Amino acid sequence: MPQSALSICSLQRDNRKNEYRTARIPAHLNNAQHRPLSTPGKPGKSPMDIRFLTFPDFHSVYFYRSITLAILVAIGGLLLFKASAMRLPELLLVGGCLLLMGWRFALEWRRLSKAAPASIHNDELVIGGEGDHRQIPLSSVRSVTSKHSLFMVRRYRSWTEHLAFVEFTLHNGERLYTLAESAVFESPAAKRSLAAIQAAVMAAKVKSAAADSSAALAR
């Protein structure tokens, strides 16, 4: 038999063996080679799902803060006007609730006055307004906490518009504030955003420590 005919027969036998081996591989394993790698988290969600408020959102919060202040002042004026017609226990109860609301509103007003829009980019916390902003390395953040906002809202029409104050404490003791979206009954407030921020801070610290170790070994 000619040499070329032997080569053709050998190739056909090899092809039949490869087809047999492929047929024995389960379909889900064979298709897995062409399946894209999945990312953690919910479908359609980024693993870094941080829902900070934007600069226009902050202006909405400022607007509704003024409306909330007007409502509280109106309630206080109505209480003073009706005080003479109310019994003492009722006056003490309503007055005490109004004082607690006023104290909480003043506390959140103070927090909001210190807050500014923020974002995380290239292992840095970028915080500030349109004209002035700061870039702070995430490795210099000591801790991140969040607190629910009761009176500072983006709009009144829905419970889904609930917000949370996010507090960054730096190693030098300085505290920076921003706002993030949150569910009403989440614990802690802005749970997903808080977890993503803490993960970004930890990753930045590990990267910074690795860079410092490499620099020390290079000396």
Side-chain angles (χ1 to χ4, degrees):
M1 184 180 293
Q3 186 68 26
S4 60
L6 290 173
S7 300
I8 292 172
C9 292
S10 177
L11 286 174
Q12 288 176 347
R13 283 196 303 270
D14 292 341
N15 289 336
R16 283 196 296 270
K17 288 179 181 179
N18 290 335
E19 289 174 0
Y20 175 72
R21 289 170 184 167
T22 304
R24 296 189 62 184
I25 298 176
H28 68 280
L29 293 179
N30 193 29
N31 294 333
Q33 298 175 2
H34 308 286
R35 191 179 303 144
L37 294 176
S38 60
T39 55
K42 292 187 176 181
K45 290 280 187 180
S46 168
M48 285 291 293
D49 190 13
I50 303 175
R51 308 299 296 271
F52 286 141
L53 263 65
T54 62
F55 189 76
D57 289 334
F58 264 79
H59 280 283
S60 296
V61 176
Y62 297 149
F63 174 73
Y64 283 98
R65 177 183 64 177
S66 302
I67 295 179
T68 305
L69 176 61
I71 292 172
L72 291 176
V73 170
I75 294 174
L78 182 63
L79 179 62
L80 290 176
F81 181 74
K82 296 288 187 178
S84 59
M86 297 176 65
R87 292 181 298 177
L88 183 60
E90 294 176 348
L91 183 62
L92 291 176
L93 178 61
V94 177
C97 292
L98 187 60
L99 284 175
L100 286 175
M101 292 170 64
W103 172 81
R104 177 72 186 195
F105 181 80
L107 178 63
E108 293 189 7
W109 184 297
R110 183 171 176 269
R111 288 176 182 166
L112 183 60
S113 65
K114 296 180 178 180
S119 63
I120 290 178
H121 182 67
N122 290 336
D123 291 335
E124 288 183 334
L125 173 67
V126 182
I127 189 164
E130 286 185 334
D132 182 27
H133 68 275
R134 297 174 59 187
Q135 294 177 262
I136 302 166
L138 288 177
S139 57
S140 65
V141 176
R142 186 177 67 192
S143 63
V144 186
T145 58
S146 62
K147 297 179 178 65
H148 284 284
S149 170
L150 299 181
F151 292 101
M152 303 303 159
V153 297
R154 189 165 44 181
R155 56 184 67 88
Y156 289 141
R157 68 186 183 188
S158 173
W159 280 100
T160 60
E161 301 298 333
H162 188 70
L163 303 177
F165 288 98
V166 179
E167 178 184 297
F168 297 87
T169 304
L170 307 184
H171 286 295
N172 60 6
E174 183 182 4
R175 295 182 179 182
L176 305 171
Y177 294 89
T178 190
L179 286 170
E181 296 178 4
S182 173
V184 178
F185 299 108
E186 270 189 343
S187 180
K191 179 169 60 177
R192 290 189 180 88
S193 294
L194 184 64
I197 295 167
Q198 291 172 341
V201 170
M202 181 61 65
K205 288 183 176 181
V206 170
K207 190 181 296 185
S208 177
D212 291 343
S213 299
S214 299
L217 292 173
R219 290 175 185 175

